Amino acid sequence: MSQILSEKEKQSIEELRSRLSDELKEVPSYSDDYSLLRWLIGWDYNIEAIVPKLKYLLTTLSALKLHEADFSSIDKVNHYVIDISKAAKYCPGGIAGYDKKGNVVMIQPMGRSDPKTLLSTCRLSEMLKIGISESEGVVSLIRANEERLNQKLGTVIICDLEGFSLDLLWMPGMKFYMLLLQTLQAMYPDIIKKIYVIRAPQAIHTAYNMVYHVEFLSANWKEKLQEVISPDQLFEYWGGTLQAATPFGNIRMGGKVPTELRYDANRSALDCTSEQLSTLSVPARFSKTVVVKVDLSGSRLKWFFRVSSGDVNFSIVHSSGKVMQPVFLLNTEFVPECGEVSCELPGEYTLTFDNSHGKLWSKEIKYRVQVLVPDAS
């Protein structure tokens, strides 16, 4: 059945298109009615609140070049995520198929997650990119089905807590998962249609059974899932008939990250010695910048930094206003932050370390910034 938009919805959609016309030219996939309608519903038609949030999403997608990624199939999305990092397969999750209404079905075997080894392996910016990339891939698949069926769709999530242990409640891991969840909820409103939780311990079942959109399934969970999802859209491990080389198919099952993949300053080629690092003190409620001039197109801007304690918002913007590295709230308790961008535009690149959210404590940043010019040969 086609979904007919009301006059209020049409007018609000056109206002968003008008106010974000420049950003939507850069990321045109978000110009369609249903993509903008999701934002209106998710933020209760508050245009003034939506504009900066949607602008952040669009500039982030452009900076991470996700608007150029090929997310035209489930396999392509899953492979894109795996290729982000050698540790990506230890971040539980993945896309299985579609439910009977056309919503995308995701599976998150969170019970098998091992946050201690994961946070000792991946930079937080890397893990945020994994989450954002997968979410953007899901939205691309939703958008394709919406165009085919002419109705607004979303995603159904199966959260599998088999293997749950108290390690999952380790506080640094909980803090990161909350950051990731809050980031994705802000960037992708009105996406989740339903969350089914299976194989959950009774304590978790009791504590969260009243959460909106969440339904805890009992011993007959396979039959319940098949009421809304055809068996040929689920892998064998979740009661389906979808064929794959393993019972899990392409779903990332988590587990402990092997020792050789974990960060070790003594054998990391990206690490810097104390002599190579500069120091920047950022007071609470303030931000500090490092400005780097790039003369040659095609140069690479590389950065490395550690925060003394807590976290800091980090971003990079070109003097033209183009966002090169989106604002991410990062800490370096386990793995230092590093990365690089290709500088197609000569000019000044401003690296911002923002501690505006800090109430009392200043943050000391130990950092190194390099500009690598193109090889003359």
Side-chain angles (χ1 to χ4, degrees), residues 229-336:
I229 307 168
S230 296
D232 62 0
Q233 298 293 305
L234 288 171
F235 295 108
E236 179 185 343
Y237 191 71
W238 292 282
T241 59
L242 187 57
Q243 295 297 304
T246 72
F248 317 114
N250 53 23
I251 303 302
R252 306 184 304 278
M253 295 301 292
K256 290 185 181 297
V257 182
T259 304
E260 61 269 20
L261 293 183
R262 298 178 206 170
Y263 171 74
D264 183 344
N266 294 321
R267 55 185 175 84
S268 172
L270 298 175
D271 219 310
C272 299
T273 64
S274 57
E275 293 79 14
Q276 294 172 315
L277 299 174
S278 301
T279 302
L280 191 68
S281 182
V282 188
R285 306 178 189 273
F286 285 88
S287 64
K288 290 282 186 76
T289 61
V290 176
V291 180
V292 180
K293 187 176 182 183
V294 175
D295 295 320
L296 294 176
S297 176
S299 297
R300 289 182 297 138
L301 175 63
K302 299 184 66 173
W303 65 90
F304 175 98
F305 70 87
R306 293 190 185 95
V307 185
S308 57
S309 63
D311 47 35
V312 66
N313 278 302
F314 174 72
S315 62
I316 304 176
V317 179
H318 182 258
S319 49
S320 66
K322 182 176 177 60
V323 176
M324 305 301 298
Q325 180 72 11
V327 179
F328 284 159
L329 183 63
L330 305 172
N331 76 57
T332 58
E333 180 179 357
F334 303 101
V335 181

Side-chain angles (χ1 to χ4, degrees), residues 138-210:
V138 167
V139 169
S140 294
L141 298 173
I142 290 172
R143 192 178 287 124
N145 256 11
E146 287 176 335
E147 185 175 352
R148 182 174 64 86
L149 299 173
N150 195 22
Q151 64 180 36
K152 190 167 78 69
L153 300 168
T155 182
V156 172
I157 298 174
I158 301 170
C159 182
D160 188 348
L161 293 183
E162 184 184 42
F164 179 89
S165 74
L166 293 179
D167 287 344
L168 289 173
L169 303 181
W170 179 57
M171 189 53 64
M174 291 286 288
K175 286 178 65 177
F176 170 72
Y177 286 135
M178 287 303 298
L179 169 65
L180 178 61
L181 182 62
Q182 290 167 359
T183 300
L184 296 181
Q185 284 181 331
M187 296 177 73
Y188 297 98
D190 193 42
I191 285 290
I192 298 174
K193 293 289 186 179
K194 189 77 173 183
I195 300 175
Y196 295 104
V197 182
I198 62 174
R199 298 190 271 221
Q202 186 59 42
I204 301 296
H205 190 298
T206 302
Y208 293 98
N209 203 26
M210 298 301 292

